[in-house]
Amino acid sequence: MIEETLSKGERTSRAIIDAAYDLIIDQGYAATSMRQIADRAGLALGGIYNHFSSKEEVFVAILEKRHPFFQIVPLLNSVEGETIEAFARNAAHTLIAELGHHPEFLNLLLIEIVEFKGEHVPLVFEKMLPMILQLAQRLSNLGGNMREIPQLVLARAFLGMFFSYFITELLLNQTKFMAMQTNALDHFVDIFLHGILSAEE
Amino acid sequence: MIEETLSKGERTSRAIIDAAYDLIIDQGYAATSMRQIADRAGLALGGIYNHFSSKEEVFVAILEKRHPFFQIVPLLNSVEGETIEAFARNAAHTLIAELGHHPEFLNLLLIEIVEFKGEHVPLVFEKMLPMILQLAQRLSNLGGNMREIPQLVLARAFLGMFFSYFITELLLNQTKFMAMQTNALDHFVDIFLHGILSAEE
DNA sequence: ATAATAAAAACGAACGTTCGTTCATTTCAG
DNA sequence: CTGAAATGAACGAACGTTCGTTTTTATTAT
């Protein structure tokens, strides 16, 4: 349907990006060759260069379409919840429900950090700025009492909750002898909301 | 002094590991060549193969000596503090004081995840097990009241606090227009201890 | 101590592949 | 019919690894 309305160039452009994305999040950038990308996209090696002028340009195109933040921020914008607590809980479950099936969805972010030293981060941030501002506006109107915490710290800690959840999940999945933790996320959210200490003293 | 007592083989072995470590955390594994490693270690290309039988074997040797967990866990073991809160605060500051000057110290962990899919994680975990058990024993004796949280979740959340601190710090350092956050770590610890919600209702 | 010797280490050219990119040519779409 | 898209051979450079040789080290016998 949609494919029909796209020009041929646009279609193979997307096929290249899709193929490169799959390969790169699986193998990393340097370990993925243009030949592999061409094969998977279903065209000849030289054909890629009719759409992208270099390997890195393909990578940048992937970042602009598929950076994890572009998945996370809109999802957060769609989360319901009147209070801070309700929003945090719903956000956690929404993100896990949507992204939990793709534990490698963070790989693109990590690859960019590891293989490009984060030099494309400004590009991604700039492209995300409207979405971020909209989200910030939305969050500032939430009900509930919150301790005095700088907004940026709050955002970092909230994002960090997912970073740590996914990265440690990834590490644990490798050590088979450790038990699965089905409700670990709820605990993470609880710690984020209430901390590890008990109220009594 | 110490060098004098080491055999020639041991010395160049270490030189190779040191050189490879510097290059790999800077460029990634696939992007680092054996020639670069040889040059930086100060020997000829073929010389490496008198000490390691392949490039991956060099990488494994690096992991066994320099994996971030081997720096973190002993540091945590050395942290003082009688209560949970005191320990958490001291631990955070100790780790940042020691590792904060090397924001790339997590790279080896990320590289292993990204370029090897975490397949060496069991190896590292096994080597760390005694240290971990010792630390767990130490922490279970801390004073202070804590909410009921599974030990493994607690460990994940605690580690996650540093993951998120360092990764977001790394991201922010790229976006020059954002202000430095000098005391962000204290806020992270506060959130870890008390959560973001205020006690009143 | 000194000389002889066997093992370990260093060397660097060479091997066969694979890499990213280019290009003249052919095919196809609008 | 014209420009965009696809082709696949070819380029030089770089890759990991091997190998025959030379040099250095550590040990033994003198």
Side-chain angles (χ1 to χ4, degrees):
Chain A
M1 302 300 165
I2 297 175
E3 287 186 10
E4 307 275 338
T5 77
L6 292 176
S7 70
K8 177 101 171 100
E10 188 68 24
R11 259 187 288 129
T12 61
S13 235
R14 297 191 183 195
I16 292 167
I17 290 178
D18 289 347
Y21 176 81
D22 290 343
L23 288 164
I24 288 177
I25 64 169
D26 185 51
Q27 306 174 333
Y29 174 81
T32 298
S33 72
M34 294 298 264
R35 282 165 183 82
Q36 289 176 327
I37 295 172
D39 281 353
R40 182 176 258 257
L43 80 168
L45 174 60
I48 297 179
Y49 291 88
N50 285 319
H51 304 270
F52 303 95
S53 65
S54 70
K55 184 183 176 186
E56 179 162 356
E57 199 170 278
V58 175
F59 184 72
V60 171
I62 293 176
L63 281 183
E64 287 177 337
K65 277 199 175 184
R66 305 280 210 100
H67 193 284
F69 288 168
F70 292 131
Q71 305 178 255
I72 291 175
V73 177
L75 266 179
L76 290 180
N77 261 325
S78 75
V79 168
E80 305 198 358
E82 296 295 311
T83 66
I84 296 165
E85 174 158 2
F87 177 85
R89 292 193 189 281
N90 291 340
H93 283 102
T94 301
L95 260 64
I96 298 311
E98 189 70 21
L99 304 174
H101 309 299
H102 312 101
E104 74 294 344
F105 89 101
L106 270 183
N107 280 20
L108 201 57
L109 168 70
L110 301 183
I111 288 168
E112 209 278 325
I113 289 177
V114 158
E115 303 196 56
F116 291 93
K117 302 178 188 176
E119 65 187 39
H120 301 106
V121 170
L123 180 87
V124 175
F125 257 84
E126 194 180 355
K127 221 175 162 77
M128 279 202 337
L129 205 54
M131 285 194 272
I132 291 177
L133 293 177
Q134 182 185 348
L135 181 60
Q137 170 68 20
R138 161 122 164 59
L139 295 183
S140 65
N141 291 331
L142 287 180
N145 291 320
M146 206 173 61
R147 299 169 59 232
E148 207 157 294
I149 302 167
Q151 273 200 16
L152 189 49
V153 171
L154 200 61
R156 289 176 64 177
F158 186 77
L159 268 185
M161 188 171 67
F162 295 102
F163 284 168
S164 54
Y165 176 80
F166 274 107
I167 292 184
T168 54
E169 191 83 356
L170 210 145
L171 292 177
L172 286 179
N173 278 350
Q174 287 291 340
T175 65
K176 298 302 181 194
F177 55 89
M178 290 223 181
M180 266 287 275
Q181 299 188 288
T182 53
N183 59 345
L185 183 66
D186 290 315
H187 282 111
F188 271 74
V189 180
D190 274 339
I191 292 175
F192 179 71
L193 290 172
H194 302 110
I196 65 166
L197 299 182
S198 63
E200 55 193 293
E201 75 272 7
Chain B
M1 302 303 164
I2 297 176
E3 287 186 8
E4 308 274 339
T5 76
L6 291 176
S7 69
K8 174 90 172 132
E10 187 69 23
R11 260 185 289 130
T12 62
S13 239
R14 297 189 181 195
I16 292 168
I17 290 178
D18 289 347
Y21 175 81
D22 290 343
L23 289 164
I24 287 177
I25 65 169
D26 186 51
Q27 307 174 333
Y29 173 81
T32 298
S33 73
M34 293 297 265
R35 282 167 182 81
Q36 289 177 327
I37 295 171
D39 280 354
R40 181 176 259 258
L43 78 168
L45 174 60
I48 297 179
Y49 291 87
N50 286 319
H51 304 271
F52 302 95
S53 64
S54 71
K55 186 183 177 186
E56 179 163 356
E57 199 169 280
V58 175
F59 184 72
V60 171
I62 293 176
L63 281 183
E64 288 177 335
K65 277 198 176 183
R66 304 279 210 99
H67 193 284
F69 288 167
F70 291 132
Q71 306 178 255
I72 292 175
V73 177
L75 265 179
L76 289 180
N77 261 324
S78 76
V79 169
E80 305 197 357
E82 296 294 311
T83 66
I84 296 166
E85 175 158 2
F87 177 85
R89 292 193 189 282
N90 291 340
H93 284 102
T94 301
L95 259 65
I96 298 310
E98 188 70 22
L99 305 174
H101 309 298
H102 311 101
E104 76 292 345
F105 90 102
L106 269 183
N107 279 20
L108 201 56
L109 168 69
L110 302 182
I111 288 169
E112 210 277 325
I113 289 177
V114 158
E115 303 197 54
F116 290 94
K117 302 177 188 174
E119 65 187 40
H120 301 106
V121 170
L123 179 87
V124 174
F125 256 84
E126 195 180 353
K127 224 176 160 74
M128 279 204 334
L129 205 54
M131 284 193 273
I132 293 178
L133 292 178
Q134 181 185 348
L135 181 61
Q137 171 68 20
R138 161 123 164 58
L139 295 183
S140 66
N141 290 332
L142 288 180
N145 290 320
M146 206 173 63
R147 300 169 59 234
E148 207 157 293
I149 303 167
Q151 274 200 15
L152 188 48
V153 171
L154 199 62
R156 289 175 64 177
F158 187 77
L159 268 185
M161 188 170 69
F162 295 102
F163 283 167
S164 54
Y165 175 80
F166 273 106
I167 292 184
T168 54
E169 191 83 358
L170 209 145
L171 293 177
L172 286 179
N173 278 350
Q174 287 292 339
T175 67
K176 298 301 181 193
F177 56 87
M178 291 221 180
M180 265 288 277
Q181 299 186 289
T182 53
N183 58 346
L185 183 66
D186 289 315
H187 282 110
F188 270 74
V189 180
D190 274 340
I191 293 175
F192 179 70
L193 290 172
H194 303 110
I196 65 166
L197 301 181
S198 63
E200 55 195 291
E201 78 271 7

Coordinates of all heavy atoms in Angstrom, one line a residue, chain A residues 12 43-44 47 50-51, chain D residues 5-10:
Chain A
T12 N 14.3 1.8 -2.0 CA 15.5 1.1 -1.7 C 16.4 1.9 -0.7 O 17.1 1.2 0.1 CB 16.4 1.0 -3.0 OG1 16.7 2.3 -3.5 CG2 15.6 0.2 -4.1
L43 N 20.4 -5.7 -3.2 CA 20.9 -5.0 -4.3 C 22.4 -5.2 -4.4 O 23.0 -5.7 -3.5 CB 20.5 -3.5 -4.4 CG 21.2 -2.5 -3.5 CD1 20.9 -1.1 -4.0 CD2 20.9 -2.7 -2.1
A44 N 23.0 -4.7 -5.5 CA 24.4 -4.9 -5.7 C 25.2 -3.9 -4.8 O 24.7 -2.8 -4.4 CB 24.8 -4.8 -7.1
G47 N 25.2 -0.2 -5.7 CA 24.0 0.4 -5.7 C 23.7 1.3 -4.5 O 23.0 2.3 -4.5
N50 N 24.4 5.0 -4.8 CA 23.4 5.9 -5.5 C 22.5 6.6 -4.5 O 21.9 7.6 -4.8 CB 22.5 5.1 -6.4 CG 23.3 4.7 -7.7 OD1 24.1 5.5 -8.2 ND2 23.1 3.4 -8.1
H51 N 22.6 6.1 -3.2 CA 21.7 6.7 -2.2 C 22.4 7.3 -1.0 O 21.9 8.2 -0.4 CB 20.7 5.6 -1.7 CG 19.9 5.0 -2.8 ND1 18.7 5.5 -3.2 CD2 20.2 3.9 -3.6 CE1 18.2 4.7 -4.2 NE2 19.1 3.8 -4.5
Chain D
dA5 P 17.0 7.6 -7.9 OP1 15.9 7.6 -6.9 OP2 18.3 8.3 -7.5 O5' 17.3 6.1 -8.3 C5' 16.3 5.4 -8.9 C4' 16.9 4.1 -9.4 O4' 17.7 4.2 -10.5 C3' 17.7 3.4 -8.3 O3' 17.3 2.0 -8.2 C2' 19.2 3.4 -8.9 C1' 18.9 3.4 -10.4 N9 19.9 4.0 -11.2 C8 20.5 5.2 -11.1 N7 21.4 5.5 -12.0 C5 21.4 4.4 -12.8 C6 22.1 4.0 -14.0 N6 23.0 4.8 -14.6 N1 21.8 2.8 -14.6 C2 20.9 2.0 -14.0 N3 20.1 2.2 -12.9 C4 20.4 3.4 -12.4
dA6 P 17.8 1.0 -7.1 OP1 16.7 0.3 -6.5 OP2 18.8 1.8 -6.2 O5' 18.7 0.0 -8.0 C5' 18.1 -0.7 -8.9 C4' 19.1 -1.5 -9.7 O4' 19.9 -0.5 -10.5 C3' 20.1 -2.3 -8.9 O3' 20.1 -3.7 -9.3 C2' 21.5 -1.6 -9.1 C1' 21.2 -1.0 -10.5 N9 22.1 0.2 -10.7 C8 22.2 1.3 -9.9 N7 23.0 2.3 -10.4 C5 23.5 1.7 -11.6 C6 24.4 2.2 -12.5 N6 25.0 3.4 -12.4 N1 24.7 1.4 -13.6 C2 24.1 0.2 -13.6 N3 23.2 -0.4 -12.8 C4 22.9 0.4 -11.8
dT7 P 21.0 -4.7 -8.5 OP1 20.2 -6.0 -8.6 OP2 21.5 -4.2 -7.3 O5' 22.2 -4.8 -9.5 C5' 22.0 -5.1 -10.9 C4' 23.3 -5.0 -11.6 O4' 23.7 -3.6 -11.7 C3' 24.5 -5.8 -11.0 O3' 24.7 -7.0 -11.7 C2' 25.7 -4.8 -11.0 C1' 25.1 -3.7 -11.9 N1 25.6 -2.3 -11.5 C2 26.5 -1.7 -12.3 O2 27.0 -2.2 -13.3 N3 26.9 -0.4 -11.8 C4 26.5 0.2 -10.7 O4 26.9 1.3 -10.4 C5 25.6 -0.5 -9.9 C7 25.1 0.1 -8.6 C6 25.2 -1.7 -10.3
dG8 P 25.1 -8.3 -11.0 OP1 24.6 -9.5 -11.7 OP2 24.8 -8.2 -9.5 O5' 26.7 -8.3 -11.1 C5' 27.2 -8.2 -12.4 C4' 28.6 -7.7 -12.3 O4' 28.7 -6.2 -12.0 C3' 29.5 -8.3 -11.3 O3' 30.8 -8.4 -11.7 C2' 29.4 -7.4 -10.1 C1' 29.5 -6.1 -10.9 N9 29.2 -4.9 -10.2 C8 28.4 -4.8 -9.1 N7 28.3 -3.5 -8.6 C5 29.1 -2.8 -9.5 C6 29.3 -1.4 -9.6 O6 28.9 -0.5 -8.8 N1 30.2 -1.1 -10.6 C2 30.7 -2.0 -11.5 N2 31.5 -1.5 -12.5 N3 30.4 -3.3 -11.5 C4 29.6 -3.6 -10.5
dA9 P 31.7 -9.7 -11.7 OP1 30.9 -10.7 -12.5 OP2 32.0 -10.0 -10.3 O5' 33.0 -9.3 -12.5 C5' 32.8 -8.6 -13.7 C4' 33.8 -7.4 -13.7 O4' 33.2 -6.3 -12.9 C3' 35.2 -7.7 -13.2 O3' 36.1 -7.1 -14.1 C2' 35.2 -7.0 -11.8 C1' 34.2 -5.8 -12.0 N9 33.6 -5.3 -10.8 C8 32.9 -6.0 -9.9 N7 32.4 -5.3 -8.9 C5 32.9 -4.0 -9.2 C6 32.7 -2.8 -8.5 N6 32.0 -2.6 -7.4 N1 33.2 -1.7 -9.1 C2 33.9 -1.8 -10.2 N3 34.1 -2.9 -10.9 C4 33.6 -4.0 -10.4
dA10 P 37.7 -7.4 -13.9 OP1 38.2 -7.4 -15.3 OP2 37.8 -8.6 -13.0 O5' 38.2 -6.1 -13.1 C5' 38.0 -4.9 -13.7 C4' 38.5 -3.8 -12.7 O4' 37.5 -3.7 -11.7 C3' 39.8 -4.2 -12.0 O3' 40.8 -3.2 -12.3 C2' 39.5 -4.2 -10.5 C1' 38.2 -3.4 -10.5 N9 37.3 -3.8 -9.3 C8 36.9 -5.0 -9.0 N7 36.1 -5.0 -8.0 C5 36.0 -3.7 -7.6 C6 35.3 -3.1 -6.5 N6 34.6 -3.7 -5.6 N1 35.4 -1.7 -6.4 C2 36.2 -1.1 -7.3 N3 36.9 -1.6 -8.4 C4 36.7 -2.9 -8.4

